[in-house]
Amino acid sequence: MLSEFTLIDHYFARRAREHTRRAALGIGDDCALIAPAPGEMLAVSTDMLVEGRHFLPDVDPHALGHKTLAVNLSDLAAMGAKPLGFTLAFALPKPREDWLAAFSAGLFELADLHDCELVGGDTTAGPLNLCITVFGSVRQDVALRRDTAQPGDDVWISGTPGDARAGLAVLRNDWPQMPVDAADAAYFRRALEYPQPRVALGLALAGVARAALDVSDGLAGDLRHILERSRVGAAINVDALPISPALARLPRELQVQCALAGGDDYELCFTAAQARRDDVEAAAQQAGVRVTRIGTITSPQGGIGANQDARPAIAWHDAAGAPLNLTLQGFDHFHAD
Amino acid sequence: MLSEFTLIDHYFARRAREHTRRAALGIGDDCALIAPAPGEMLAVSTDMLVEGRHFLPDVDPHALGHKTLAVNLSDLAAMGAKPLGFTLAFALPKPREDWLAAFSAGLFELADLHDCELVGGDTTAGPLNLCITVFGSVRQDVALRRDTAQPGDDVWISGTPGDARAGLAVLRNDWPQMPVDAADAAYFRRALEYPQPRVALGLALAGVARAALDVSDGLAGDLRHILERSRVGAAINVDALPISPALARLPRELQVQCALAGGDDYELCFTAAQARRDDVEAAAQQAGVRVTRIGTITSPQGGIGANQDARPAIAWHDAAGAPLNLTLQGFDHFHAD
């Protein structure tokens, strides 16, 4: 029988007490007490990860600990918020010490890296399910929203999207006809299992970029969320997509599919005024993350007053400006919700 | 296939937009932005509910919506915090419209009652699992903690604990030999399925009571959490336990077992200085909730320097002061973690 108190205390509460005590009151009381810095808002996001849907049953628990927190920190990054703390609720079929030890190690290594404190939790018996709610601090006037893109803005992407999707293909043997050498396979798996939330980049972009989100479901689909909420369109240069050397060794069509429709990248897609290009590059350099300009925000098709329910258009083109007709629908990726 | 966007929008986001917009930014962006009132801390608590463990598979979804939020609001109440908002993450085997309609109705009726806004969420396919993180606002100096009870304090309980455990017995037919009439059975079920978080009482007690928690796992077990964290003992008058008229129609031994070892009551157990008795009664009257004095906080057995790992003692006695030897171990209740 799973006991909340012994389990939490051994792997989580004791470890949490070693953290800097930012929370006035943490695990062990009814609530944790936290506060954003004076003049700042608290940014809050929640994500639930389910076995078979967000990770494979035989996932390395250390990687799972990392990723469970990483996908939440990525939401803070996309807001330009500084991580403060998180709550962890999880259901486990039965408590396995080796599993918990590895899971908590992966979780706390990333938490420590971002100075993000475990402030509360709940454990229960049940099918494996992980739910994290993360808290950050951000000034409301520089928060990176989704509804603030403007026609003429550049569209940027961090890192090299598509690698995580290739990692899933390697794990599931999706492409049996496709030779992937061992070093590339390891690189792709790491992209899938240990995504790095772009926290430093998000902080550096706050006040520089206009709209932003993190790419969890694929660049093409997620960019549409910015377009919908900002009521704009976009023209994207497919030849400008940043492709990793490993992904570049796969057929070109697969590169584009992975980069545009693959999930689980957790890169930042953002827009910024053309006049801020130098500032964007400086922010990226400060954060140590590559950013690439891939397109432009356009006026909504049909202009003001047009049917607002219409699917916001992304016009794809190549480096020469010739239109491309991409079919991205139905390209299965792992993280579908 | 479950689509996050259509599902959330139909039953949750649209409904959330009708709420007062306390959050500067809510569902639809990477994070919600919220802030406690100036000078206040944010109180945060998270709870996960799993089918078969916290509720029966055939539970009324309206009641489940109520209870999922109620158990979280109860944590705020136990802190003396004013509800502000919550996030909801849930996994569903498949989206059933009638189920979602009833669940969301039960959830939002209680949310509206306490002016608590849905600020973010996540939905996914998977075994039924509900995870809420709730946010409230409280002044740090009046927050009702668990580690602040002092010898000489009165021990108080709100409401009539034990009714929820009797409700579970009715649902599961635990006591086939015991006649429970239909009106009592309905009363017990309502206590189990629609617990009322004592938010108004918690707010009124902030600055009046010393230590507090909410009773989810049974009064005897939960009181021990206050005793452990405050390093004190307690003497409890079993004859003073407030028993509802319905529970009073069951055998006396069952009354005591339900009241002390039954889970899912979500009443507040708290301590207060004897000099504050009038203030406690006034707070209860203001909140419209009955409170009952059931005992006294005592010095820890062995005094300062004694083995702090020793199980903190509750000395049970009757109205005449004669010691009682209660066996509460092994009395099965529903909410065991």
Side-chain angles (χ1 to χ4, degrees):
Chain A
M1 184 68 115
L2 189 69
S3 156
E4 176 181 25
F5 300 105
T6 54
L7 183 72
I8 284 195
D9 199 65
H10 192 71
Y11 286 103
F12 297 97
R14 198 174 51 180
R15 187 71 179 68
R17 282 193 292 267
E18 296 164 14
H19 275 217
T20 324
R21 299 313 308 268
R22 180 177 299 118
L25 202 60
I27 285 177
D29 215 304
D30 299 291
C31 299
L33 297 180
I34 59 175
E40 305 217 321
M41 302 281 287
L42 210 74
V44 177
S45 181
T46 196
D47 270 301
M48 179 177 273
L49 274 71
V50 176
E51 184 178 276
R53 186 143 187 95
H54 303 96
F55 54 89
L56 299 172
D58 59 350
V59 65
D60 171 5
H62 186 279
L64 184 61
H66 173 97
K67 190 159 176 178
T68 305
L69 183 58
V71 303
N72 280 280
L73 289 176
S74 181
D75 285 317
L76 291 184
M79 209 77 205
K82 178 176 161 41
L84 290 177
F86 67 105
T87 62
L88 167 68
F90 61 97
L92 272 181
K94 53 179 192 281
R96 277 180 37 209
E97 290 237 3
D98 56 340
W99 193 95
L100 283 167
F103 175 83
S104 60
L107 182 83
F108 284 118
E109 281 166 26
L110 187 66
D112 288 348
L113 190 66
H114 293 284
D115 195 19
C116 190
E117 186 181 347
L118 177 64
V119 299
D122 192 21
T123 56
T124 185
L128 187 54
N129 183 303
L130 300 155
C131 183
I132 280 185
T133 304
V134 74
F135 312 98
S137 180
V138 66
R139 268 176 42 212
Q140 191 174 347
D141 55 333
V142 297
L144 299 172
R145 307 168 59 127
R146 295 182 174 190
D147 57 1
T148 42
Q150 293 184 17
D153 279 4
D154 293 321
V155 178
W156 299 78
I157 183 77
S158 68
T160 54
D163 296 334
R165 179 60 184 85
L168 180 62
V170 166
L171 271 185
R172 294 195 310 201
N173 197 25
D174 283 352
W175 306 324
Q177 313 301 332
M178 208 74 66
V180 177
D181 76 30
D184 285 356
Y187 169 83
F188 290 143
R189 274 193 65 160
R190 195 158 177 89
L192 175 70
E193 296 185 334
Y194 287 91
Q196 295 302 320
R198 301 304 190 188
V199 172
L201 179 63
L203 285 170
L205 288 174
V208 173
R210 208 118 60 179
L213 50 58
D214 65 319
V215 177
S216 57
D217 293 341
L219 178 52
D222 284 333
L223 174 57
R224 284 201 173 85
H225 297 313
I226 287 182
L227 305 184
E228 279 169 11
R229 291 181 61 90
S230 298
R231 305 195 186 287
V232 292
I236 301 296
N237 175 3
V238 174
D239 288 337
L241 287 171
I243 303 293
S244 70
L247 194 59
R249 283 187 275 276
L250 292 174
R252 177 65 185 161
E253 196 194 321
L254 215 50
Q255 296 171 28
V256 172
Q257 292 283 340
C258 284
L260 290 180
D264 269 341
D265 287 322
Y266 302 101
E267 296 295 348
L268 296 188
C269 174
F270 57 97
T271 84
Q274 294 184 22
R276 304 302 297 269
R277 282 180 190 172
D278 289 349
D279 298 327
V280 169
E281 294 286 3
Q285 189 144 13
Q286 183 190 327
V289 177
R290 169 184 178 176
V291 296
T292 306
R293 200 152 36 83
I294 58 169
T296 307
I297 296 294
T298 57
S299 297
Q301 281 194 325
I304 290 167
N307 179 2
Q308 297 178 334
D309 291 335
R311 189 97 178 129
I314 301 178
W316 307 104
H317 61 85
D318 66 15
L324 294 173
N325 197 359
L326 294 184
T327 306
L328 297 169
Q329 294 288 355
F331 184 67
D332 159 51
H333 60 78
F334 197 42
H335 183 162
D337 51 62
Chain B
M1 183 71 112
L2 189 70
S3 156
E4 176 181 25
F5 300 104
T6 54
L7 181 72
I8 284 196
D9 199 65
H10 192 71
Y11 286 103
F12 296 96
R14 198 173 53 181
R15 187 71 179 68
R17 284 193 289 269
E18 297 164 14
H19 274 216
T20 325
R21 299 313 308 267
R22 181 178 299 118
L25 202 61
I27 285 176
D29 215 302
D30 299 292
C31 299
L33 296 181
I34 59 175
E40 305 216 322
M41 301 282 287
L42 209 73
V44 177
S45 181
T46 195
D47 269 302
M48 180 177 272
L49 274 72
V50 176
E51 184 178 277
R53 185 143 188 95
H54 303 96
F55 53 90
L56 299 172
D58 60 349
V59 65
D60 171 6
H62 186 279
L64 184 61
H66 172 97
K67 191 160 175 176
T68 304
L69 182 58
V71 302
N72 280 280
L73 289 175
S74 181
D75 285 317
L76 291 184
M79 209 78 204
K82 179 175 162 40
L84 290 177
F86 66 105
T87 61
L88 167 68
F90 60 98
L92 272 180
K94 54 179 194 278
R96 277 181 36 209
E97 290 238 1
D98 56 341
W99 194 94
L100 282 167
F103 175 83
S104 60
L107 182 83
F108 283 117
E109 282 166 26
L110 186 66
D112 288 348
L113 190 65
H114 293 285
D115 194 20
C116 190
E117 185 181 347
L118 178 64
V119 298
D122 191 22
T123 56
T124 184
L128 186 54
N129 182 304
L130 300 154
C131 183
I132 279 185
T133 303
V134 74
F135 313 97
S137 180
V138 66
R139 266 176 44 211
Q140 192 176 346
D141 56 332
V142 297
L144 300 171
R145 307 168 59 127
R146 295 182 174 188
D147 57 1
T148 43
Q150 294 184 17
D153 278 5
D154 293 321
V155 178
W156 299 79
I157 182 78
S158 68
T160 54
D163 295 334
R165 179 62 184 84
L168 180 63
V170 165
L171 271 185
R172 293 196 310 201
N173 197 26
D174 283 351
W175 306 324
Q177 314 300 331
M178 208 77 65
V180 177
D181 76 29
D184 286 355
Y187 168 82
F188 290 143
R189 275 193 63 159
R190 195 158 177 88
L192 175 70
E193 295 185 334
Y194 287 91
Q196 295 302 320
R198 300 305 190 188
V199 173
L201 180 62
L203 285 170
L205 287 174
V208 172
R210 209 122 54 180
L213 51 58
D214 65 320
V215 177
S216 57
D217 294 340
L219 177 52
D222 284 332
L223 174 57
R224 284 201 173 87
H225 297 314
I226 288 182
L227 305 184
E228 279 169 11
R229 291 181 61 89
S230 299
R231 305 194 185 288
V232 291
I236 301 295
N237 176 3
V238 174
D239 287 339
L241 287 170
I243 303 293
S244 69
L247 194 59
R249 283 187 275 277
L250 292 173
R252 178 64 186 163
E253 196 194 322
L254 216 47
Q255 296 170 30
V256 173
Q257 292 284 342
C258 285
L260 291 180
D264 268 342
D265 287 321
Y266 302 100
E267 296 295 348
L268 296 189
C269 175
F270 57 98
T271 84
Q274 295 185 22
R276 305 301 298 269
R277 282 180 189 169
D278 288 350
D279 299 327
V280 169
E281 294 286 2
Q285 190 144 13
Q286 183 191 329
V289 178
R290 168 184 179 178
V291 295
T292 307
R293 200 152 37 83
I294 59 169
T296 307
I297 295 294
T298 57
S299 297
Q301 279 195 326
I304 291 166
N307 180 3
Q308 294 180 336
D309 292 334
R311 190 96 178 131
I314 302 178
W316 307 104
H317 61 85
D318 66 14
L324 294 174
N325 197 359
L326 292 184
T327 305
L328 298 168
Q329 295 288 356
F331 185 66
D332 159 52
H333 60 78
F334 197 41
H335 181 161
D337 51 62

